[in-house]
Every structure is written in structure tokens, then in C-alpha cells.
Amino acid sequence: MTVANTPALEFECDTGNYHTFCPISCVAWLYQKIEDSFFLVIGTKTCGYFLQNAMGVMIFAEPRYAMAELEEGDISAKLNDYAELKRLCEQIKRDRNPSVIVWIGTCTTEIIKMDLEGLAPRLESEIGVPIVVARANGLDYAFTQGEDTVLAAMAHRCPTEAPKTEAEKEERNAITKLLNFGRKQEDVAQEESEYVDHPPLVLFGSVPDPVVTQITLELKRQGIKVSGWLPAKRYTELPVIAEGTYVAGINPFLSRTASTLMRRRKCKLIGAPFPIGPDGTRAWVEKICSVFGIEPKGLEEREAKIWESLEDYVKLIRGKSVYFMGDNLLEISLARFLVRCGMTVPEIGIPYMDKRYQAAELALLAKTCEEMGVPTPKITEKPDNYNQIQRILEIQPDLVITGMAHANPLEARGISTKWSVEFTFAQIHGFSNARDVLELVTRPLRRNENLKDLGWDKLVKEEATV
Amino acid sequence: MKLAYWMYAGPAHIGTLRIASSFKNVHAIMHAPLGDDYFNVMRSMLSRERDFTPVTASVVDRNVLARGSQEKVVDNITRKDREEQPDLIVLTPTCTSSILQEDLQNFVERAQLDAEGDVMLADVNHYRVNELQAADRTLQQIVEYYLKKAAKKGELPEGKTEKPSVNIIGITTLGFHNNHDATELRRLMGMLGIEVNALIPEGASVQALKNLPRAWFNLVPYREVGPATARYLEENFDMPSVDITPMGIVETARCIRAIQKILNAHGVDVDYESFIDDQTRFASQAAWFSRSIDCQNLTGKRCVVFGDSTHAAAITKVLAREMGIRVVMAGSYCKYDTDWFTEQVRDHCDEVFISEDNGAIADKIAQLEPAAIFGTQMERHVGKRLNIPCGVIAAPIHVQNFPVGYRPFLGYEGANQLVDLIYNSFTLGMEDHLLEIFGGHDTKEVITKTMSADSDLSWSKDGLTELNRIPGFVRGKVKRNTEKFARERGVSEITAEVLYAAKEAVGA
């Protein structure tokens, strides 16, 4: 599918003056996902203060991440980077004994041109702990793209073939282990026959373990076996990726990871809409089936059933409008799902739009708008928050999906908002979690319903300038 | 390089932004990469601001890195000047601009040619000062700028106000209970017959700063933000200042006596002694509390205090001097202010501990095993882990430390609030202790027994694994729903698949 198929969509690019989280925030969810990792953010107090404030209480749970806080001596190169990093990494190895240390490069390491990629292999062999380098900085990336840089770096570390030692007869892969847990070998063999014979499929994108299970089971219903996930629960369980392995992305912000898998690991990318919402999930599963020549079974009924169970929420938002200010790259998929729910979308802001990686999703968005008979949204890349707020005040959408910086001020002006970051932390993938997405989307509207008779919509004195 | 998990004071630019966004109609433009504008999130969330935070970024990206900011900063300043017509735009450097070493002062001068409002560059260095020092410096810088401007234009007002008056200096946005303290100080000044000439920076207009010298004196309630401004006013306008934090009964009295001395030196004859006596003994409850049986029970209890200079020093004195509680350690993270802090608390505690390392402080607390902690949010969490109650007395703070109700720490009402905070911390500790001796609430087991029915269904291993991943507080409900679902369909073994099928069917 190419962009040529989606002539209806209008793309714009504004000034890039918008609010989003720094991409280093990815450590907050990745260190929890990859249980034997340690994330070391090499940056300044500014980075540290962001993590500490943005991640709130998580910081108190003895996190497996820390700042390597650069001081004046590091900036002016009075201190030796290698010696300094070695000292800190040895301390981390001593205190936490991780299976991998991920270095997160920041704006500062970019500007002073600290050669992290050069230092890592030397230090790795010296201290005996793998060191993965990801440059997740605010000069180049926004919010969730941080995960993309980490996974792209991890893709290089995936083994090309399963190690064949005696011990390995015991299943190593996290998912198979989970699915086969406690069963005898013959049961496993029997289970293998439940799958269609197809080339190995690896999924990429960090999602909570329950979602991993759900998605894996979803594909199993179609006879498709998931050979592994990037990332797995542990660094030591990274999936086998050989030439010709099929890969599919689960999140819309993973374009670097996708191109690394294609170009460097010679994988075949299945370009599909993302499994967000029942429509997206069905399209995603169907696309994978079609690549493997499988006739999907019962998907249509399954989607219909999910929609039926969502009706109480859908009727709250049908005919209402939603405006995405844009900060986490999930916007296109969420907008597509909400249009299918009957909402209209005047504008989708998005930090960065990879029209190739998101091609199938964009096509589905255009198709959905056509089928629902609503105008296609304007897609604004690198939005300008000031301009957007002028437009929001003018068109008065029923719901604005936005960052925390704007949520309270908009609410005070009588405009309902939903905090966008919640979508990155909630479980939103697959059929089962469609309800969770709508739970989030309808919350402000349900709140409004409860408070509607009070007459306190506007809580600022005059229309203050922005 | 320093391995750091947590920090007490933020980076310098946060201090500058706190000052700039406290003023009315002042806009700050950060020279920073994408994502560094999380100050807006903090302000909007912590203090629940209704208005858009007047801070934007002039984004530093790859292009800027390659070619310099060039016109970008100037354009952003003049654009903001046009859009919002602020009185002042403060260009705020960050750690990034510290290394790029672009000539920001030159950008400011060029932007000033086109801008209607004033434009200034905040004079702070990321690598030299922290949030608090930067806030102190920026406030002084803005005050100096407007006083010099007024002097140049010949607009400096002559003489003092008719009645005794004061400038209250250092009340800021995101400051610990600052808005309540401001109200309490205004009330206190009112009762003393002193007019508030200006309260800066919170809610103040920069255009009115030229009136600062009309006050008879300055009151600087906090050690961290304001002293530099007071010093400047003293040196250039011969204005005396009072820097005694009126926190606790004794210090409040000391502060009022210092004010009395200044006013009397100006030739008005005031005597606040009877006011102090009346407030102390009857209006405030704190002095009476110290005599009451409740407080007697606190005698000699051991506690640890940690926070910024102002609050840690004042609370240490209140605990030791006004309540007879033994402070086994008093500490501060304001390393740059070590001498002052040590001097203040030396006689009121067993040990002084100055550190920015939260791990070291946690270790210290674990060793000392106090009955209560008075600290920041970090110490509250240490207390949680060690099962020691903690009252929060200083930043860094969370949203619950921005209460909607009236909770000053300063003045006579502040003394009342402190009593509650301190007493509640200790009684909770005592209650906990008693529960432990008597084996806790013995009714718990009985209640759970009636609530959980024995299950006739079996759970497969993967089903149980998935169930255990569900957060504890809803797990029971999910378990019941799943079992109901399984029973209805005659499923005997509950696997992960059954669990999720049930979730879809029940919609929960």
C-alpha cells in the first residue's frame, strides 16, 4: 500500500513548537518490561529532574535506572569519559548485576559528541556486561520514539539462531515457556500441530505481559505461531531473528526498529494497521493471515461481538468531535478507531509522520472516514501548540486529547480534555482492550454528564490570552 | 560524572521559570530541546493552574545544532511579543545552551529592537547554580532591571509611603505552601498596622516594581528566594530588611520584634509586645498545646528533620524548643548554605547532616530509627519503607502538598498547622506501635472468611499466572467474574484464554 491510495488525507507541517515528553521517558516503561536490564541515562540535572517528575511515584520503587549526571569537568573534557563511565558501570554491576546495561544518549552527549557507540564495545568486553547504546534525545525525537531507538539498538543483539546446547532443550523463549508451562513434551508436540506451517514470525514493540499473552493467543486462533517478541521479558531471551523472518509492528512509532529489522537483519516486514481498537486488531490479524496464505476464521463475528459489547460506551461519543494535539505518535490509530466509533476528527496533530511505516494505517483511516461518511482529518506534523489552541477555541471540539501542560487550562475554559500520556501506559491493544481505550476516551464525557446541571463550565474570569 | 537516582533541587532554569511565571504578564522563552518544557506540566498539575503557563521553548534541534539558532530565537521572542503583548520576556538558558555557547545576549538585544515589551536574558549558569540559587538570582535581576530603567527615565517615586509599609519578597509559584503563607503574612501585617507595599514575585506586575523603594522595609520569609533582592535594595536604596522566618511561636515573635525595631528607628513609636503576648497565649493554640498533656507525652521522642534551609531550620527549632522533642538529626540539601544552617540548628539537635544524596539520608534514618521523620516527599517514602511516620515540611513535593484548604506554615495560624502536622505524625506512630503489641486488628481474618467462597473450579497454571498479573485491588472481582463465566459455560479448567474471554464477555 502506498500513500497514493490515500489522496483524501491532507498533510501539513507546522513550526514544531509543541509540548511532548522527552524520549528518555522510555526508560520508565522499558526497565519494567525488560526485567534484567539497567538503564543509565547519560545527561544532566535537566534530564534527571524530568524523569523524577514525569515518572512520579515509580522513582521510589528502587528503579533499575539512574542518571550518569554530567558535571562541568565532563563537559569541558577535563575528565575522561571512558574512565568515568567505567567507574559508574562497575558500580551498577556490583550493586544490581544486570544482564544488560542500556546507555541512553541525551542532547548533551550529542552536543559534546561523546562517542558512546565507540566506548560501549570496549567497556563491554572489559566489564563483561552487554552495553546497548540508544540515542534517545530531544534534539531528534519525541516521547515514544525513545522506545524506537532502544528497540532498534536491541535488534542488532538478537541471536541469528537458537543455541543448541543440552540445557536448551528446556524451552527458552518466554512465550512458549508460558504457554507450555508445566506440560509434558508430548503435549507440546501435539500443540505444535495446532499451528499452520508458516515461516517464523517475530512481533516488535514493548507491551505489558498480559497484552503479549492476549495477542499471542489471538494469532494462535488463526494457527499462527509467534516465535518471539522484541523486546522479551528478559534481555537474555531476545528472540531469534534470521534472514527471512517475518516481523510485524504492534505500535505506530517503531519505524526505526522496522527499518533496522528489514535492512540490517534482512527480515520481511508485514505492513498492517496497528492492533488498536477491534477494527485495527482485525485488520492487523487479517494482514498477517494473508501474508501467510491463511484464511482467517471467525474474525468478522469476533469483531462484531466486541463492537456489541462496546455499545454503551460508543453511544456516548457517537457524533461528537475529538481533536488530537499530538505528542505520542499513537494519534493516527486512535483517530481511526474513534472515527469508526462515530466520532469526527477535525485535526490530528502528530510529532512525526512516517508515511511508509504507517501506510496501511493511513489507508485504513481514509477508508474508515469514507465508510462512516465523515470528512477526513487534517494531519498536522510538528504542530504548533499556540496555533492549535487558537483553532481549538474557535471550533470548540467536544474532546481534546492533549498533554498535561494544556489539560487544566483547557478544562478551565470549558473544553473537555483527556491526558494523552495515559494512552501510552494503558493496555490498548487487541480485541479485549478496546474497552479500556473507550474507558479513557469517555471518562471526561461521563464526568460532564455527572456535573452537567451545575452550570460551572467556564472557570476563568475573562477569556485570558493564551 | 555522578550516579544519581534522585535530586532535591532542580536544574537552574526551573528557578528562573518559577520567578518569571510568578509575575503577571511575564513570558519566559527557554532555549532548549524538545521535551524540556515539562515545567509547564509541573505547574499545570501540581498547582492546578487554570491559565496556560507563560513558558514556551525556542526549540533546539538538529538544524540549530548544525547552523546555530540564527534568527530562530529572535523570531520566537518577537512572535511571542506580538501574540501576547507581555510586559517582559525572559530568555532562559538551559544546560543545552550552556554548552552551545551561542551569544544569547546578542539575540536579546536584537529582539529588543522590534519588541514592544522588555526583553532580558536570565543570568544563570546551569553548571554553577541550582533551582533555588537561580530563582534568587533571577528575582534580583528583574528587580534591578526595572529600578534602573525607572531611574533612567526619572520615574522613580520619591520618598516613603505615608504609613509604615513593607515589601514581602520571595513568594513564588510551585513554592511549598507559598500562597497560604502569603495570605497569612498579609494578615499579620494588617494586624500590626503595616501596609503591604508590594508582594513579589507572585501575582506582581513588573511595571510596579519601581515602587519598591517606597516601602519602609523588606520582609524576606524564606532563606532560598529573596535575600539577593533584599541585599540589592539595601545597598542601593538603603532599605533595611527582616530575614527572620516567622515559623513557630518563638520565631514569629522574634520576627515581629525585628520589625518593631526598624519602625521605631524610623520614628514611629510602636510596641508590639502586648500583641505578641495575646497572640501567643490566646489566639494561637500552639503555646497552649506545648503545655497540654498530649504534648507532654511527646517529651524526649526522637525525630529526624530534613529539608531546605528555611523549613528544616525552623521546624528543628519548633520541635526542640517549643515541644521538647529530641531532634537526633537535622539536615539540609542546600549545600551552598551549609554555614548558615549549621549555625541555626547547632544548639537544637544532636547532629547536623548536609547532603544532596538521598541514599545517604535514607541510611542515616535507618540507623537512627527515629519515632517520626519531618522531611520531603523522599523522606516520606523512606519512612514508608521503614514503617516510620513522616510529615512533609519542604519541597520536593507532590500534588498532595498543594492543598486547596488554608494551610500556611508561617505566622500564628502556621504555628497551629504545625502542631497538627507534628502531633498527627507521632500519634499515628504510637497507634501503629500499640497495634503491633496487641497483634493488629483481629477482626480482619473473620471478614475475609465470609467474603471468599471456596471455589469448585480449577485454575490452570497459565490462568493463575495471568490472574496474578492483574492489580491486587481488582483481582478478586476479576476472579469472581471469570469463575461465574466458566460455570455458566461448563468450563472446568480456567486457562488464560478463558480469563480473557470472560473479560471480553463481561466487559470489565
Side-chain angles (χ1 to χ4, degrees), chain A residues 144-145 148 249-255 272 274-276 328-334 336 350 352-354 357-358 361 428-429:
Chain A
T144 49
Q145 287 180 293
D148 193 24
I250 199 156
N251 270 323
F253 44 78
L254 298 171
S255 42
F274 300 98
I276 293 168
N328 61 15
L329 284 94
L330 294 171
E331 292 87 2
I332 303 287
S333 309
L334 288 172
R336 178 260 304 149
I350 186 167
Y352 168 73
M353 182 75 246
D354 186 333
Y357 178 63
Q358 294 223 42
E361 185 63 271
I428 61 169
H429 297 83

Side-chain angles (χ1 to χ4, degrees), chain B residues 404-419:
Chain B
V404 180
Y406 187 51
R407 300 260 193 287
F409 268 59
L410 300 184
Y412 289 108
E413 177 54 26
N416 289 344
Q417 297 291 336
L418 274 179
V419 164

Side-chain angles (χ1 to χ4, degrees), chain A residues 29-49:
Chain A
W29 66 87
L30 286 176
Y31 92 82
Q32 292 186 335
K33 175 71 196 179
I34 309 170
E35 290 171 0
D36 54 353
S37 62
F38 191 99
F39 284 78
L40 184 67
V41 182
I42 305 163
T44 61
K45 247 184 182 334
T46 307
C47 314
Y49 206 56

Side-chain angles (χ1 to χ4, degrees), chain B residues 417-463:
Chain B
Q417 297 291 336
L418 274 179
V419 164
D420 284 342
L421 178 78
I422 292 168
Y423 183 63
N424 289 346
S425 301
F426 278 107
T427 37
L428 287 178
M430 180 99 77
E431 204 177 314
D432 231 33
H433 195 57
L434 286 175
L435 284 173
E436 207 160 274
I437 291 171
F438 295 114
H441 292 287
D442 58 353
T443 48
K444 212 169 175 180
E445 208 157 316
V446 180
I447 293 170
T448 44
K449 233 178 210 160
T450 54
M451 277 168 63
S452 74
D454 275 341
S455 169
D456 52 334
L457 290 158
S458 73
W459 283 73
S460 77
K461 256 198 176 137
D462 65 332

Side-chain angles (χ1 to χ4, degrees), chain A residues 46 110 140 214 413 432 466, chain B residues 38 51 62 84 500 504:
Chain A
T46 307
E110 288 297 310
D140 300 304
Q214 288 164 18
R413 283 159 185 75
S432 328
V466 179
Chain B
Y38 57 85
D51 283 318
R62 269 295 149 191
E84 304 192 22
Y500 287 118
E504 281 163 27

Side-chain angles (χ1 to χ4, degrees), chain B residues 234-246:
Chain B
E234 185 147 25
E235 280 162 15
N236 292 276
F237 296 89
D238 202 21
M239 295 177 74
S241 72
V242 174
D243 61 359
I244 299 163
T245 304

Side-chain angles (χ1 to χ4, degrees), chain A residues 209-234:
Chain A
D209 295 334
V211 178
V212 168
T213 314
Q214 288 164 18
I215 296 283
T216 307
L217 291 172
E218 204 62 58
L219 291 173
K220 188 181 156 198
R221 288 171 179 227
Q222 305 299 336
I224 295 168
K225 184 175 177 177
V226 179
S227 318
W229 283 74
L230 173 67
K233 257 170 93 71
R234 320 189 105 251

Side-chain angles (χ1 to χ4, degrees), chain A residues 33 88 91 95 99 141 158 304 334 350 368 406 434 447 450:
Chain A
K33 175 71 196 179
L88 300 193
Q91 190 184 335
D95 296 348
S99 309
Y141 305 108
C158 293
L334 288 172
I350 186 167
T368 305
H406 302 299
R447 186 266 331 261
N450 293 337

